[in-house]
Amino acid sequence: MTHRNAHLWHADEDLVARYAGGVLPEPDAWSLEKHVEGCADCASRVSAAVRGTAAGAVLAQVRAAVLESAPVPAAAVGPGSAGAAGRPAASRLARLLWAAGPAVRGAWLPAVLGVAVAAPALSYGAGFPGARALLLAVAPVVPVAGVVLSYGPHADPLHEVTAATPGGGLRLALIRTVAVLAVSLPLLTLTGLLLPASGAPAAAAWLLPGLALALASLALASFVGCRIAAGVTGGGWLCAVLSPVAVAPDGALTARLAEQLSRCLDGTATQGVWASAAVLSAALLTARRPAYDRPLRP
Protein backbone atom coordinates (compact mmCIF):
# COMPACT_ATOMS: atom_id res chain seq x y z
CA MET A 1 0.00 0.00 0.00
CA THR A 2 1.01 3.61 -0.38
CA HIS A 3 1.09 6.15 2.42
CA ARG A 4 -0.84 9.32 1.72
CA ASN A 5 -2.01 12.47 3.41
CA ALA A 6 -3.77 15.48 1.95
CA HIS A 7 -0.71 16.63 0.02
CA LEU A 8 1.97 13.91 0.00
CA TRP A 9 2.34 10.19 -0.54
CA HIS A 10 5.23 7.81 -1.04
CA ALA A 11 5.36 4.42 -2.69
CA ASP A 12 5.94 1.48 -0.36
CA GLU A 13 8.21 -1.47 -1.13
CA ASP A 14 5.42 -3.71 -2.40
CA LEU A 15 4.26 -1.10 -4.94
CA VAL A 16 7.85 -0.51 -6.11
CA ALA A 17 8.50 -4.26 -6.42
CA ARG A 18 5.33 -4.87 -8.45
CA TYR A 19 6.19 -1.96 -10.74
CA ALA A 20 9.72 -3.25 -11.30
CA GLY A 21 8.33 -6.74 -11.96
CA GLY A 22 5.89 -5.45 -14.57
CA VAL A 23 2.80 -6.73 -12.73
CA LEU A 24 1.43 -3.41 -11.48
CA PRO A 25 -1.95 -2.49 -13.09
CA GLU A 26 -1.66 0.21 -15.72
CA PRO A 27 -3.52 2.99 -13.80
CA ASP A 28 -1.32 2.42 -10.73
CA ALA A 29 1.79 2.40 -12.92
CA TRP A 30 0.77 5.72 -14.50
CA SER A 31 0.16 7.18 -11.03
CA LEU A 32 3.56 6.01 -9.80
CA GLU A 33 5.39 7.34 -12.87
CA LYS A 34 3.69 10.71 -12.45
CA HIS A 35 4.61 10.76 -8.77
CA VAL A 36 8.32 10.03 -9.28
CA GLU A 37 8.59 13.03 -11.61
CA GLY A 38 8.54 15.22 -8.51
CA CYS A 39 9.71 12.87 -5.74
CA ALA A 40 13.45 12.15 -5.77
CA ASP A 41 13.23 9.63 -2.91
CA CYS A 42 10.68 7.41 -4.64
CA ALA A 43 12.44 7.88 -7.99
CA SER A 44 15.71 6.55 -6.57
CA ARG A 45 13.98 3.52 -4.99
CA VAL A 46 12.12 2.72 -8.22
CA SER A 47 15.34 3.05 -10.23
CA ALA A 48 17.18 0.74 -7.84
CA ALA A 49 14.40 -1.84 -8.05
CA VAL A 50 14.33 -1.76 -11.86
CA ARG A 51 18.12 -2.09 -12.04
CA GLY A 52 17.81 -5.31 -10.05
CA THR A 53 15.53 -6.95 -12.60
CA ALA A 54 16.40 -8.76 -15.83
CA ALA A 55 15.39 -5.66 -17.77
CA GLY A 56 17.80 -3.52 -15.77
CA ALA A 57 20.85 -4.48 -17.81
CA VAL A 58 19.04 -3.82 -21.07
CA LEU A 59 17.83 -0.43 -19.88
CA ALA A 60 21.34 0.44 -18.73
CA GLN A 61 22.68 -0.35 -22.20
CA VAL A 62 19.98 1.78 -23.84
CA ARG A 63 20.68 4.63 -21.45
CA ALA A 64 24.41 4.44 -22.11
CA ALA A 65 23.83 4.47 -25.88
CA VAL A 66 21.53 7.48 -25.64
CA LEU A 67 23.96 9.43 -23.43
CA GLU A 68 26.83 8.56 -25.75
CA SER A 69 25.00 9.93 -28.79
CA ALA A 70 23.71 13.02 -26.97
CA PRO A 71 26.06 13.67 -24.02
CA VAL A 72 24.85 15.85 -21.16
CA PRO A 73 26.56 16.87 -17.90
CA ALA A 74 26.68 13.99 -15.43
CA ALA A 75 25.15 16.16 -12.71
CA ALA A 76 22.04 16.56 -14.82
CA VAL A 77 21.39 12.84 -15.25
CA GLY A 78 22.93 11.14 -12.25
CA PRO A 79 20.70 9.50 -9.68
CA GLY A 80 19.73 11.80 -6.89
CA SER A 81 20.83 14.82 -8.88
CA ALA A 82 20.45 17.98 -6.84
CA GLY A 83 19.40 19.90 -9.94
CA ALA A 84 16.66 17.41 -10.77
CA ALA A 85 15.43 17.28 -7.19
CA GLY A 86 15.61 21.04 -6.72
CA ARG A 87 13.89 21.95 -9.96
CA PRO A 88 10.98 19.50 -10.45
CA ALA A 89 9.02 22.05 -12.49
CA ALA A 90 11.91 22.55 -14.89
CA SER A 91 12.38 18.79 -15.10
CA ARG A 92 8.71 18.26 -15.95
CA LEU A 93 8.89 21.00 -18.59
CA ALA A 94 11.96 19.38 -20.14
CA ARG A 95 10.19 16.01 -20.30
CA LEU A 96 7.11 17.64 -21.83
CA LEU A 97 9.21 19.39 -24.47
CA TRP A 98 10.96 16.09 -25.24
CA ALA A 99 7.62 14.31 -25.59
CA ALA A 100 6.22 16.99 -27.88
CA GLY A 101 9.48 17.41 -29.81
CA PRO A 102 8.74 15.43 -32.99
CA ALA A 103 5.46 17.32 -33.37
CA VAL A 104 7.15 20.69 -33.81
CA ARG A 105 10.36 19.86 -35.60
CA GLY A 106 11.37 18.47 -38.96
CA ALA A 107 9.66 19.36 -42.23
CA TRP A 108 6.15 19.85 -40.81
CA LEU A 109 6.71 23.16 -38.99
CA PRO A 110 8.39 24.91 -41.97
CA ALA A 111 5.53 23.61 -44.14
CA VAL A 112 2.93 25.18 -41.82
CA LEU A 113 4.82 28.47 -41.80
CA GLY A 114 5.09 28.25 -45.58
CA VAL A 115 1.32 27.88 -45.91
CA ALA A 116 0.77 30.83 -43.56
CA VAL A 117 3.11 33.04 -45.62
CA ALA A 118 2.04 31.83 -49.07
CA ALA A 119 -1.66 32.60 -48.56
CA PRO A 120 -1.22 36.38 -47.94
CA ALA A 121 1.43 36.49 -50.67
CA LEU A 122 -1.06 35.03 -53.16
CA SER A 123 -3.81 37.36 -52.02
CA TYR A 124 -1.97 40.67 -51.75
CA GLY A 125 1.13 40.03 -53.83
CA ALA A 126 -0.36 38.15 -56.79
CA GLY A 127 -3.90 39.49 -56.49
CA PHE A 128 -5.43 35.99 -56.22
CA PRO A 129 -9.02 36.42 -54.93
CA GLY A 130 -9.48 32.84 -53.72
CA ALA A 131 -6.60 32.72 -51.23
CA ARG A 132 -8.86 32.23 -48.20
CA ALA A 133 -10.83 29.47 -49.93
CA LEU A 134 -7.60 27.70 -50.85
CA LEU A 135 -6.30 28.08 -47.29
CA LEU A 136 -9.53 26.63 -45.85
CA ALA A 137 -9.30 23.69 -48.26
CA VAL A 138 -5.77 22.86 -47.10
CA ALA A 139 -5.97 23.80 -43.41
CA PRO A 140 -7.86 20.72 -42.08
CA VAL A 141 -5.20 18.45 -43.57
CA VAL A 142 -2.36 20.26 -41.79
CA PRO A 143 -3.05 18.80 -38.30
CA VAL A 144 -3.48 15.35 -39.86
CA ALA A 145 -0.04 15.63 -41.47
CA GLY A 146 1.45 16.87 -38.20
CA VAL A 147 0.01 13.94 -36.26
CA VAL A 148 1.24 11.29 -38.70
CA LEU A 149 4.71 12.85 -38.88
CA SER A 150 5.10 13.16 -35.09
CA TYR A 151 4.14 9.69 -33.86
CA GLY A 152 5.26 6.24 -34.90
CA PRO A 153 8.49 4.39 -35.69
CA HIS A 154 9.29 6.79 -38.53
CA ALA A 155 9.23 9.76 -36.11
CA ASP A 156 10.86 8.31 -32.99
CA PRO A 157 13.88 5.95 -32.92
CA LEU A 158 12.77 4.77 -29.46
CA HIS A 159 9.15 4.19 -30.49
CA GLU A 160 9.17 0.48 -29.57
CA VAL A 161 10.49 1.31 -26.09
CA THR A 162 8.26 4.29 -25.35
CA ALA A 163 5.11 2.58 -26.65
CA ALA A 164 5.49 -0.08 -23.96
CA THR A 165 5.87 2.37 -21.05
CA PRO A 166 2.98 3.87 -19.05
CA GLY A 167 4.14 7.32 -20.16
CA GLY A 168 4.14 6.33 -23.82
CA GLY A 169 1.50 4.89 -26.08
CA LEU A 170 -1.68 6.90 -26.46
CA ARG A 171 -0.62 9.40 -23.83
CA LEU A 172 2.45 10.33 -25.86
CA ALA A 173 0.43 10.43 -29.10
CA LEU A 174 -2.04 12.84 -27.51
CA ILE A 175 0.73 15.09 -26.20
CA ARG A 176 2.15 15.37 -29.69
CA THR A 177 -1.31 15.90 -31.20
CA VAL A 178 -1.95 18.76 -28.77
CA ALA A 179 1.42 20.28 -29.76
CA VAL A 180 0.46 20.06 -33.43
CA LEU A 181 -2.94 21.66 -32.81
CA ALA A 182 -1.48 24.36 -30.59
CA VAL A 183 0.75 25.49 -33.46
CA SER A 184 -1.49 25.02 -36.49
CA LEU A 185 -4.92 26.12 -35.25
CA PRO A 186 -4.11 29.69 -34.14
CA LEU A 187 -1.53 30.29 -36.87
CA LEU A 188 -3.73 29.26 -39.80
CA THR A 189 -6.86 30.85 -38.33
CA LEU A 190 -5.06 34.16 -37.87
CA THR A 191 -3.79 33.91 -41.44
CA GLY A 192 -7.35 33.35 -42.66
CA LEU A 193 -8.53 36.44 -40.81
CA LEU A 194 -5.99 38.53 -42.73
CA LEU A 195 -7.37 37.42 -46.09
CA PRO A 196 -10.42 38.82 -47.91
CA ALA A 197 -13.42 36.49 -47.72
CA SER A 198 -14.31 36.51 -51.46
CA GLY A 199 -17.30 34.27 -50.76
CA ALA A 200 -15.37 31.75 -48.65
CA PRO A 201 -16.55 30.66 -45.16
CA ALA A 202 -15.29 32.33 -41.98
CA ALA A 203 -11.63 31.93 -41.12
CA ALA A 204 -12.41 29.79 -38.04
CA ALA A 205 -14.85 27.47 -39.84
CA TRP A 206 -12.16 24.82 -40.33
CA LEU A 207 -11.34 24.36 -36.63
CA LEU A 208 -13.86 21.61 -35.83
CA PRO A 209 -13.15 19.72 -39.09
CA GLY A 210 -9.42 19.93 -38.38
CA LEU A 211 -9.91 18.55 -34.85
CA ALA A 212 -12.26 15.81 -36.06
CA LEU A 213 -9.88 14.69 -38.82
CA ALA A 214 -6.92 14.63 -36.42
CA LEU A 215 -8.82 12.48 -33.90
CA ALA A 216 -10.14 10.24 -36.66
CA SER A 217 -6.57 9.75 -37.91
CA LEU A 218 -5.43 8.68 -34.44
CA ALA A 219 -8.35 6.26 -34.08
CA LEU A 220 -7.86 4.79 -37.55
CA ALA A 221 -4.10 4.50 -37.01
CA SER A 222 -4.75 1.91 -34.30
CA PHE A 223 -6.17 -0.35 -37.04
CA VAL A 224 -4.10 0.34 -40.17
CA GLY A 225 -1.06 2.41 -39.11
CA CYS A 226 -0.30 6.11 -39.13
CA ARG A 227 0.39 6.73 -42.81
CA ILE A 228 -2.60 4.86 -44.21
CA ALA A 229 -4.86 6.53 -41.64
CA ALA A 230 -3.62 9.98 -42.63
CA GLY A 231 -4.06 9.12 -46.30
CA VAL A 232 -7.66 8.04 -45.74
CA THR A 233 -8.73 11.03 -43.63
CA GLY A 234 -6.70 13.75 -45.32
CA GLY A 235 -7.20 12.33 -48.79
CA GLY A 236 -10.93 11.92 -48.19
CA TRP A 237 -11.25 15.57 -47.18
CA LEU A 238 -9.32 16.83 -50.19
CA CYS A 239 -11.35 14.68 -52.57
CA ALA A 240 -14.62 15.92 -51.08
CA VAL A 241 -13.58 19.55 -51.38
CA LEU A 242 -11.61 19.57 -54.64
CA SER A 243 -13.48 17.05 -56.82
CA PRO A 244 -16.29 19.46 -57.79
CA VAL A 245 -13.68 22.12 -58.57
CA ALA A 246 -11.95 19.84 -61.06
CA VAL A 247 -14.97 19.93 -63.37
CA ALA A 248 -15.67 23.65 -62.98
CA PRO A 249 -15.56 25.75 -66.15
CA ASP A 250 -12.59 28.02 -66.73
CA GLY A 251 -12.79 31.18 -64.66
CA ALA A 252 -15.16 29.68 -62.12
CA LEU A 253 -12.65 27.68 -60.07
CA THR A 254 -12.52 30.14 -57.19
CA ALA A 255 -16.30 30.51 -57.00
CA ARG A 256 -16.84 26.74 -57.17
CA LEU A 257 -14.26 26.12 -54.43
CA ALA A 258 -15.86 28.72 -52.16
CA GLU A 259 -19.27 27.18 -52.83
CA GLN A 260 -18.09 23.66 -52.02
CA LEU A 261 -16.36 24.85 -48.84
CA SER A 262 -19.59 26.53 -47.77
CA ARG A 263 -21.34 23.17 -48.09
CA CYS A 264 -18.64 21.44 -46.05
CA LEU A 265 -18.06 24.10 -43.39
CA ASP A 266 -20.84 26.65 -43.10
CA GLY A 267 -23.92 26.48 -40.92
CA THR A 268 -24.83 25.28 -37.45
CA ALA A 269 -25.97 21.88 -38.72
CA THR A 270 -22.73 21.27 -40.61
CA GLN A 271 -20.58 22.31 -37.65
CA GLY A 272 -22.73 20.07 -35.44
CA VAL A 273 -21.93 17.13 -37.69
CA TRP A 274 -18.21 17.86 -37.38
CA ALA A 275 -18.54 18.18 -33.59
CA SER A 276 -20.32 14.81 -33.47
CA ALA A 277 -17.60 13.31 -35.66
CA ALA A 278 -14.96 14.62 -33.24
CA VAL A 279 -16.79 13.12 -30.24
CA LEU A 280 -17.26 9.75 -31.96
CA SER A 281 -13.60 9.68 -33.01
CA ALA A 282 -12.54 10.45 -29.44
CA ALA A 283 -14.77 7.65 -28.14
CA LEU A 284 -13.34 5.18 -30.65
CA LEU A 285 -9.82 6.29 -29.79
CA THR A 286 -10.52 5.70 -26.10
CA ALA A 287 -11.83 2.21 -26.87
CA ARG A 288 -8.76 1.50 -28.99
CA ARG A 289 -6.27 2.72 -26.37
CA PRO A 290 -4.77 -0.75 -25.74
CA ALA A 291 -3.60 -0.84 -29.38
CA TYR A 292 -1.23 2.02 -28.55
CA ASP A 293 0.47 -0.07 -25.87
CA ARG A 294 2.38 -1.82 -28.63
CA PRO A 295 4.24 -0.28 -31.57
CA LEU A 296 1.98 0.87 -34.37
CA ARG A 297 2.62 0.31 -38.03
CA PRO A 298 4.23 3.33 -39.78
Side-chain angles (χ1 to χ4, degrees), residues 141 144-145 147-149 217 220-221 224-236:
V141 181
V144 173
V147 169
V148 71
L149 291 174
S217 297
L220 188 57
V224 297
C226 298
R227 292 176 181 173
I228 295 178
V232 170
T233 55

Side-chain angles (χ1 to χ4, degrees), residues 128 244-260:
F128 180 62
V245 179
V247 296
D250 292 341
L253 295 179
T254 299
R256 183 63 67 86
L257 179 59
E259 181 182 344
Q260 182 65 8

Side-chain angles (χ1 to χ4, degrees), residues 9-255:
W9 67 276
H10 291 290
D12 61 19
E13 295 304 322
D14 177 65
L15 186 70
V16 171
R18 286 191 291 146
Y19 177 83
V23 296
L24 192 64
E26 184 176 310
D28 293 335
W30 282 13
S31 176
L32 179 59
E33 286 210 344
K34 187 66 178 176
H35 171 69
V36 298
E37 290 180 0
C39 180
D41 178 62
C42 288
S44 63
R45 290 194 293 115
V46 169
S47 296
V50 172
R51 284 196 297 269
T53 65
V58 177
L59 292 174
Q61 293 174 1
V62 172
R63 179 177 183 273
V66 171
L67 293 180
E68 183 178 355
S69 61
V72 295
V77 298
S81 165
R87 296 190 297 274
S91 178
R92 284 194 294 271
L93 177 60
R95 280 189 287 271
L96 180 61
L97 291 175
W98 173 85
V104 292
R105 66 172 183 251
W108 178 80
L109 185 57
V112 177
L113 295 175
V115 170
V117 171
L122 279 174
S123 179
Y124 298 108
F128 180 62
R132 180 189 280 190
L134 190 59
L135 177 67
L136 290 176
V138 174
V141 181
V142 172
V144 173
V147 169
V148 71
L149 291 174
S150 65
Y151 187 79
H154 55 282
D156 190 350
L158 297 178
H159 176 70
E160 293 187 1
V161 176
T162 56
T165 65
L170 182 57
R171 178 183 177 184
L172 186 60
L174 291 176
I175 288 175
R176 293 178 179 175
T177 300
V178 169
V180 165
L181 295 174
V183 172
S184 58
L185 266 60
L187 180 61
L188 296 183
T189 302
L190 178 60
T191 301
L193 289 172
L194 299 176
L195 302 174
S198 300
W206 75 278
L207 295 180
L208 272 176
L211 176 62
L213 290 176
L215 291 174
S217 297
L218 284 174
L220 188 57
S222 67
F223 293 99
V224 297
C226 298
R227 292 176 181 173
I228 295 178
V232 170
T233 55
W237 164 261
L238 291 176
C239 287
V241 171
L242 299 180
S243 293
V245 179
V247 296
D250 292 341
L253 295 179
T254 299

